[in-house]
């Protein structure tokens, strides 16, 4: 029976230990800051990126991996008849999935590309489970069925602390941003269906935490919480009290990390991403 290889991109939160243990292949995106190019997770790390973004003249830009990079990896992984499942950040925020799909159409290897419809930990929930199943020798079909199930049982919310990057990125107009800044509005959005969809506006970090915690309780009522992740761009003023409430509710293993440079570009400093998976 052919072996199944798991591929993802650098917006997933996958530790080096997990990469090595389960042989997960991570294809990095590229970041441009003031004319300089960096490879996400290779020659720039999240904390360093936030420092550079704070003093950059223009909004940094991210680029999906080239089709050729994916094709070369797919060719190598599938040359002996092995199969590949390539799981990536939502196509609603990046062309990474399309790049992978194009490469899958060009290679002779058996490659299935899957749009996670998420980012960060919510993407890694799928990648980690797929890699564990592949290591146990599960079939490609069984793995695909499982990650589709995980996708449908995952929630993700994004909260930005400043509207500046949303304006620079063309996601909201300057007029709305000016009014929002004057009122200290903190927009909360979900990534349901893979698209950035505003769901609420609050006016303080405390209100953000209360909204997210109440939503967590509502979504997980009567279900088993399998994983919780909080990613932040120096947004500990919201992340820390939220994590404390989650622990007090009975779930003790919340994963916390910095947002990847690609995500920080969209959200700006102070933002958090809150995601959880149920069974």
């Amino acid at each position: 029976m052919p072996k199944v290889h798991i591929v993802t991109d650098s917006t997933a939160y996958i530790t080096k230990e997990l990469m090595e243990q389960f042989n997960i292949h991570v294809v990095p995106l590229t970041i441009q800051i003031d004319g300089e190019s960096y490879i996400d997770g290779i020659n720039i790390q999240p904390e360093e990126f936030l420092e550079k973004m704070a003093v950059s003249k223009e909004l940094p830009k991210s680029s999906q991996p080239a089709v050729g990079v994916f094709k070369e990896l797919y060719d190598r992984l599938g040359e002996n008849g092995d199969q590949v499942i390539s799981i990536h950040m939502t196509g609603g925020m990046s062309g990474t999935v399309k790049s992978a799909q194009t490469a899958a159409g060009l290679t002779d290897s058996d490659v299935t590309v899957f749009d996670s419809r998420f980012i960060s930990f919510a993407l890694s929930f799928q990648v980690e489970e797929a890699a564990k199943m592949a290591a146990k020798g599960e079939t490609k079909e069984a793995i695909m069925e499982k990650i589709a199930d995980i996708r449908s049982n995952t929630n993700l919310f994004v909260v930005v602390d400043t509207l500046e990057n949303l304006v620079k990125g063309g996601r909201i107009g300057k007029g709305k941003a000016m009014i929002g800044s004057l009122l200290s509005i903190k927009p909360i959005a979900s990534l349901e269906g893979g698209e950035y969809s505003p769901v609420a506006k609050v006016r303080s970090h405390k209100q953000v935490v209360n909204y997210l915690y109440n939503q967590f309780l509502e979504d997980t009522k009567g279900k088993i919480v399998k994983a919780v992740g909080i990613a932040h761009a120096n947004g500990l003023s919201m992340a820390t009290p939220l994590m404390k409430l989650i622990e007090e509710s009975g779930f003790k293993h919340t994963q916390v990390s910095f947002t990847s440079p690609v995500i920080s570009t969209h959200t700006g400093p102070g933002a958090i991403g809150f995601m959880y998976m149920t069974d």
Side-chain angles (χ1 to χ4, degrees), residues 137-155:
E138 298 273 6
T139 64
K140 182 181 77 171
E141 290 73 24
I143 297 170
M144 291 298 298
E145 186 177 339
K146 181 63 178 178
I147 60 176
D149 181 60
I150 290 172
R151 183 174 68 181
S152 64
N153 286 290
T154 297
N155 295 83

Side-chain angles (χ1 to χ4, degrees), residues 8 19 30 35 39 95 125 127 135 139-140 161 172 180 237-238 253:
T8 189
M19 281 185 222
T30 304
I39 302 171
F125 294 161
V127 174
T139 64
K140 182 181 77 171
D161 194 43
I172 61 171
S237 58
M238 290 184 282
H253 309 291

Side-chain angles (χ1 to χ4, degrees), residues 32-51:
Q32 290 85 37
I33 312 174
D34 290 339
E36 292 287 324
S37 245
Y38 300 89
I39 302 171
D40 186 15
I42 305 296
N43 61 355
I44 192 164
Q45 300 303 320
E47 289 175 81
E48 181 189 0
F49 173 78
L50 287 171
E51 291 171 5

